[in-house]
Amino acid sequence: MAYRVVWFKRDLRVQDHWPLLEAARRGPVLCLYVIEPGLWAQPDAAAQHYGFVRESLQTLDAQLRGLGSRLHLAVGEVVDVLAALHATAPFEAVHAHEETGNAWTFARDLAVGRWCRAHGVGWQEWPQFGVVRRLRDRREWQPRWEKHMAAAQATAPAVLRTPELHHAPVWPWGSRPLPTAAELGLDAFEPPQRQRGGRRQAEAVLHDFLHERSSRYRGGISSPLSAPDACSRLSPYLAHGVLSMREVVQATRAELNALPPQAKRQRLGLQGFVSRLYWHCHFIQKLESEPELEWRNLHRGYDGLREPDWNPAHFEALQEGRTGWPMVDACVAMLRETGWLNFRMRAMLVSVAAYPLWLHWQPVGHWLARQFLDYEPGIHWPQMQMQSGTTGINTTRVYNPIKQALDHDPQGVFVRQWLPALRRVPDSWLFEPWRMSADVAARCGVRVGQDIAVPLVELADALRESKARMHTLRRQSAVRAAKAAVVERHGSRRGMPGASRDQQGEERPALRRKPGPPANQLSLDL
């Protein structure tokens, strides 16, 4: 029986799934997900990602059964699985979504394309986000994003016909155990409070945000106290494709159009959310256009800035949440427990790693990728470089962790929640507890250096020195001269929704216009 394979990757849904719909129009379809040992062996993979995927696959199978089909699985590298399947039950084509992932997935997709061509098998991919393959001119991107988001969603097929397979190297979901995280070489730890995967959960979170929580979005996403409820919390469902970007954009715009005039706070929240969905794809486009962002500095003039000074003790302390700066260590504790942190606190973590601790962004980025349940390579790596100052086109972002605590946790509620040792420390010493006298520490029952860490460096001195080193490099004529090419390839353009003054500063000089009203700093909190 002639049939086609729909290969699910980071698109674990049947709604708005053009590869599935187009394959179903042509005949029987095998819906396939491959558990790839090579993928899970990458330094950005974590057990929580695998757990979330497994939960989402279970609901995907339930959706497919509702259409008369099943989700089939295999374990192995995709080319090997396709070759073995084709040898036992030849198929006509492979349908899939485009993916802007890490370097490993990029190489894997190229290998699948080569295999298909070599064996006379069709290989067709559809765009999933507002990301354009082989984009020639960045000015083309914005209208193409709008066109993609306004296009009709793919309806779920009315019915799916599944080919009859005998002795094939695939099996229906639930018919045999899946590999455990440990068997894939992953650290078995998962954050106890992480979000759960699956379409039903995704739809519930989307509905709750659009109709209830969006009124708190504007003004609520910066503080780690309010952000867990004010943010949409849709990012893991978008990252793994349980929801499509297009259906979220369209649902949000439909809700905006239905709001009564008096719902001003909700309107502002949803408008801000749409602008961040736009920037979500803008950053993924950066990695699509320049995959080297994952492993080398965007601006090559910054090569060697931090690499020779790598300090493993600083990195270990950061990972273990014992930098001595309470706001930083509390954020690490929250990540360990929940797998999530709001954008401003993520930026602060990267800034602390990059400036006072002077750590290169790539190892820090791999660690944080494993901590973030919603890890999206196309956002993660451009942001790692932006917050570390190696893009060459952005204002230097240096977050003082003591100021961040005073601004966003002035009563110390967040710090005390995640760092129990500080619960009896007076407010006056809470954000610099190492400065307490021995008498005060004794009354609090805190042993400085044991219950709480002493900072690895003197913050003011370390910030002053790191900024001086960065700005000295930025002033070099060769570094300044190379900036224009980076701006041309990756800079934002005038008129992009939600662009801050800093983002507009990415424009080529010839594109500058008179500045408009001040905008808030770009935040990718979803």
Side-chain angles (χ1 to χ4, degrees), residues 391-413:
T391 65
I393 62 175
N394 300 99
T395 301
T396 303
R397 290 171 165 86
V398 182
Y399 290 72
N400 183 315
I402 298 173
K403 183 180 185 301
Q404 291 298 309
L406 292 169
D407 288 348
H408 300 293
D409 187 30
Q411 306 304 317
V413 176

Side-chain angles (χ1 to χ4, degrees), residues 35 40 73 135 183-184 200 267 293 298 324 470 476:
I35 299 172
W40 296 106
L73 294 102
L135 182 66
E183 288 170 341
L184 291 173
R200 182 177 300 175
R267 182 176 303 280
L293 271 166
L298 175 60
M470 175 65 74
Q476 292 182 7

Side-chain angles (χ1 to χ4, degrees), residues 26 36 55 169 185 191 268 285 295 359 380 410 420 493 496 525:
R26 291 166 170 78
E36 305 164 83
E55 293 157 3
L268 288 172
Q285 184 68 55
W295 66 84
L359 296 171
H380 186 79
R493 299 296 187 259
M496 290 177 70
D525 280 309

Side-chain angles (χ1 to χ4, degrees), residues 97 127 198 243 252 271 356 440:
H97 271 120
L243 294 168
T252 305
Q271 288 171 342
V440 174

Side-chain angles (χ1 to χ4, degrees), residues 204-363:
V205 173
L206 177 61
H207 183 274
D208 183 48
F209 175 71
L210 293 181
H211 298 282
E212 300 292 337
R213 295 183 291 108
S214 54
S215 61
R216 304 194 291 275
Y217 190 80
R218 187 178 177 88
I221 64 177
S222 292
S223 170
L225 289 170
S226 55
D229 291 324
C231 291
S232 76
R233 306 304 300 274
L234 292 170
S235 51
Y237 303 107
L238 288 169
H240 295 281
V242 182
L243 294 168
S244 82
M245 174 62 71
R246 177 163 41 210
E247 65 177 318
V248 173
V249 170
Q250 292 184 5
T252 305
R253 286 177 168 170
E255 180 64 18
L256 272 168
N257 291 334
L259 287 177
Q262 63 270 25
K264 293 181 180 179
R265 286 189 59 83
Q266 190 174 4
R267 182 176 303 280
L268 288 172
L270 291 177
Q271 288 171 342
F273 178 61
V274 170
S275 75
R276 284 159 177 85
L277 294 176
Y278 188 101
W279 282 94
H280 172 284
C281 297
H282 166 75
F283 276 98
I284 297 177
Q285 184 68 55
K286 289 175 181 282
L287 188 65
E288 175 67 35
S289 298
E290 191 153 357
E292 295 87 351
L293 271 166
E294 182 186 349
W295 66 84
R296 75 180 189 192
N297 293 325
L298 175 60
H299 190 310
R300 302 307 300 278
Y302 292 82
D303 290 356
L305 176 63
R306 294 185 178 94
E307 293 91 322
D309 299 322
W310 178 257
N311 188 320
H314 285 185
F315 187 39
E316 182 179 355
L318 177 65
Q319 291 175 290
E320 295 178 358
R322 50 179 182 84
T323 66
W325 298 307
M327 196 66 165
V328 174
D329 295 344
C331 286
V332 173
M334 180 180 177
L335 263 182
R336 190 181 301 122
E337 183 70 17
T338 69
W340 185 85
L341 198 61
N342 66 310
F343 179 82
R344 179 172 289 272
M345 294 300 104
R346 296 185 192 205
M348 181 193 68
L349 284 184
V350 179
S351 174
V352 166
Y355 291 97
L357 300 184
W358 202 245
L359 296 171
H360 187 252
W361 53 266
Q362 189 181 38

Side-chain angles (χ1 to χ4, degrees), residues 26-42:
R26 291 166 170 78
V29 176
L30 177 70
C31 297
L32 177 67
Y33 183 85
V34 181
I35 299 172
E36 305 164 83
L39 174 64
W40 296 106
Q42 297 307 301

Side-chain angles (χ1 to χ4, degrees), residues 158-185:
V159 65
L160 287 172
R161 290 183 290 156
T162 304
E164 295 184 9
L165 301 177
H166 302 285
H167 310 295
V170 298
W171 62 89
W173 172 269
S175 63
R176 67 175 71 175
L178 299 182
T180 65
E183 288 170 341
L184 291 173

